[in-house]
Amino acid sequence: MKQESRAVCALLSVWLTAGMALTSAVRAADADEVEILFVGDQGRSAWEGASQGLIEANLQGKFLGKTFRLTQLPGAGEILKESKPAAVVVAGDATTLRQVADTLPGVPVFNVGLDDDAIRQQCGGNILHVLPSQAMKRDALSQWKTKNPESDARALAWHSSAKKYSGTQLNDRYMKSFGKPMDDEAWAGWAAVKMLADTVVRTQSSDPGKLLDFLRNDLEFDGQKGADMSYRKNGQLRQPILIVEGGKVVGEAPVVGVAQSIEDLDSLGNVECK
Amino acid sequence: MKRLTLAVLMLAALSACSEKKQPESAATGPAETQQAAPAATEAPASAPEASAATAPATSAAETQASAAAAPETSAAETQAAAAPAAAGGPTGRVFVTNEKGNSVSVIDPATNAVIGTIDVGIQPRGIGKSPDGSEIYVALGEEGKIAVIDPKEMKLVRKFDSGPDPEAFGVHPDGNIYISMENDAKAAVYNPKTGEQIALVDVGLEPEGVAVSPDGSKVIVTSESTNMLHVISVPDHKLVANILVGSRPRAATFSKDGKWAYASAEIGGEVKRVDMTTYKVDKVTSIGEEDAKPKDVMLSNDQKTLYVAGGRANKIFIFDAESMALKGSIPVGNRVWGLALSKDGSRLYTTDGGSDQISVIDTAKNEVIATIPVGKAPWGVVVDD
């Protein structure tokens, strides 16, 4: 089957999940159904990543009696007053991100589209930055270049050639669904929905406040990069960074021998809360 | 009403998608089917759902073809064998899969020397022996096959198709094997004598560890990317429980009385003890070392000690199996994953994947008494005793 039609089928299956969820919501309000909003353009890979996350969330949920639904909105203005999502995934500019966070106080808001350092200076709000910051990528590259001075590598959150830590499996699943390689935004969208779903089944709650509390304090997320991921005080997800050169993953940061260990995730772009 | 009509139309369109996909996706279909599953089910499944399905048996012709295509073991390697074991009894040998060496190393435990290397096929990982000890099975991930070795002759005798990417498996007392199909979110049940597939069970993403209860009534499959232990009942092959555990569960083992299961969580860096009568987590112990990425778990013969392979901590962690208190650790080679215990319980063998070696631990002293170089990236180990 051609890649385009494969992607259409995958999108259709995601859309269908949402469609059927709506019909069942009309029949009876279902306490076990969890709504996640996606604010951003469906043309961005973050949407496909989030849709992949939804497929996997529902695969986990079916064993534990939870159904997840992902609803896309083009902008923050479209969020309805009566809307009570468990969380929001945002792939937009800084204004949109802020607007969503202010419209839904206390609701986890995942930033999957921006790597700006400036928006990571605030601590203690409801924004969770899934993408690594520019500072984290700078530090990753600088650690790498300490050992490989001639390298012209790039530092990325994800790459379609990632193999270790079951990276192959995640890349294969995404390729099968959408017929294209997984990139940084797609990984972040996937990770946001997946960690939210895992938090829902662990807390057995879809209360946004409880979820935000767990995400900020108790998360042990497997982002398929070999490390236990959790959030810093400023809402930034601690994570390894992939070092990519010549279209292939050649290493990962923290770089062993430069950082204390591969687990020393705070050696990458840490920001102290004021 | 409109919504319902729309949903029906969408369902029809989706099923057209699925139908079109089928011819090309014999190898890749199941994951795609699962995407549709949540939508096709009207109400969310509130109870664990039975999902066993019988799949067509592998044809005899295919089995023969794959056996014929198998690489021949060289005469030299076979001749390297030490004195043949007594007829009928187990060989006592230790068999190790080398994931990147595409081979199985055979070790004589009396001398701790490698006495043979069997080229089995691409990406050998999980390994186990038949209940009567007459055959050793090896899961070949890349090939989508199970290789069968004669432990006495140290020869590859046949292969059969298992579906794509078999990783680990457990051998049931009745002789069937329960295989985790890493890419398909399924557990497959095969009769290794005939190569016939007996059942396929839907489990979570990236299934890996398999444990069979001593009485054969239950099989646990861990799903690494869904963070669960799935409990399958035998012989009806239904999911009877799905137990949420730590992040990236990789392996599990039963106590001899079948009451407890112990499971590792690689990213969570912890080991959980689960009550297998209530399916509730009983105790959790965090290893507490950042580098510890626990993989295989194994109980001592007296059931009092739990050994946990520590991954890139390059150690075996020792726990009190009752209190789950950490008692100590034994340094071994790099990236230790696989564990096997000799029948008398005196020796623990570990696969040190990053060091291309096996460590041999004397369990009376909890010390490494030998390291044995094997092939590239050793993964699994079993003792034929």
Side-chain angles (χ1 to χ4, degrees), chain A residues 14 17 32 34-36 49-70 170 173 189-201 221, chain B residues 34-35 38 44 204-205 225-228 244:
Chain A
V14 169
T17 310
D32 290 327
V34 181
E35 183 179 38
I36 305 165
S51 301
Q52 181 63 33
L54 182 71
I55 292 166
E56 299 183 16
N58 276 320
L59 200 149
Q60 184 188 42
K62 80 173 177 182
F63 294 115
L64 299 166
K66 293 279 179 201
T67 309
F68 296 90
R69 160 160 65 113
L70 189 63
L170 178 56
R173 292 200 292 270
W190 166 84
V193 174
K194 185 113 173 173
M195 72 176 71
L196 191 271
D198 204 55
T199 300
V200 167
V201 296
F221 180 63
Chain B
Q34 275 158 5
Q35 291 171 12
L205 285 172
S225 196
T226 305
N227 303 332
M228 282 184 200
L244 198 62

Side-chain angles (χ1 to χ4, degrees), chain A residues 1 9 65 173 202 222 263, chain B residues 17 24 45 206 245 248 312:
Chain A
M1 181 177 280
C9 285
R173 292 200 292 270
R202 285 188 191 284
D222 169 24
E263 303 289 334
Chain B
C17 279
E24 84 162 69
E206 296 173 29
V245 293
R248 193 155 279 266
R312 65 185 178 208

Side-chain angles (χ1 to χ4, degrees), chain B residues 21-41:
Chain B
K21 273 180 186 174
Q22 289 208 339
E24 84 162 69
S25 63
T28 55
E32 285 164 347
T33 314
Q34 275 158 5
Q35 291 171 12
T41 313

Side-chain angles (χ1 to χ4, degrees), chain B residues 134-321:
Chain B
S134 65
E135 295 185 326
I136 303 271
Y137 308 120
V138 176
L140 303 172
E142 266 310 298
E143 287 189 30
K145 288 184 168 44
I146 303 295
V148 182
I149 292 169
D150 178 334
K152 291 187 174 59
E153 300 293 327
M154 299 197 294
K155 264 190 182 163
L156 177 70
V157 289
R158 64 180 188 277
K159 291 183 187 179
F160 63 88
D161 289 334
S162 64
D165 213 12
E167 184 159 10
F169 61 86
V171 184
H172 192 274
D174 69 10
N176 288 337
I177 61 175
Y178 288 71
I179 314 172
S180 55
M181 310 301 294
E182 192 179 16
N183 274 1
D184 279 356
K186 305 244 182 233
V189 188
Y190 276 84
N191 177 341
K193 300 289 177 196
T194 61
E196 179 196 4
Q197 189 187 77
I198 291 163
L200 262 184
V201 184
D202 283 336
V203 293
L205 285 172
E206 296 173 29
E208 176 159 354
V210 182
V212 181
S213 67
D215 69 358
S217 66
K218 290 167 192 165
V219 174
I220 292 173
V221 176
T222 73
S223 55
E224 291 179 285
S225 196
T226 305
N227 303 332
M228 282 184 200
L229 308 186
H230 304 276
V231 185
I232 300 167
S233 59
V234 183
D236 51 350
H237 297 136
K238 292 192 187 316
L239 281 179
V240 293
N242 300 285
I243 306 158
L244 198 62
V245 293
S247 206
R248 193 155 279 266
R250 292 202 62 186
T253 192
F254 275 93
S255 60
K256 275 182 188 164
D257 61 8
K259 178 164 171 54
W260 305 109
Y262 297 84
S264 62
E266 185 175 47
I267 294 294
E270 63 186 28
V271 183
K272 278 190 159 77
R273 186 167 88 153
V274 179
D275 185 327
M276 290 305 290
T277 51
T278 62
Y279 303 124
K280 300 264 188 259
V281 173
D282 168 71
K283 287 194 174 81
V284 187
T285 300
S286 170
I287 292 179
E289 289 189 23
E290 275 193 343
D291 280 349
K293 301 287 172 201
K295 209 254 175 193
D296 268 10
V297 284
M298 176 113 349
L299 281 164
S300 62
N301 264 6
D302 66 6
Q303 308 286 288
K304 288 182 178 162
T305 303
L306 182 74
Y307 295 100
V308 179
R312 65 185 178 208
N314 310 331
K315 289 173 190 170
I316 304 299
F317 293 96
I318 307 165
F319 291 89
D320 181 303

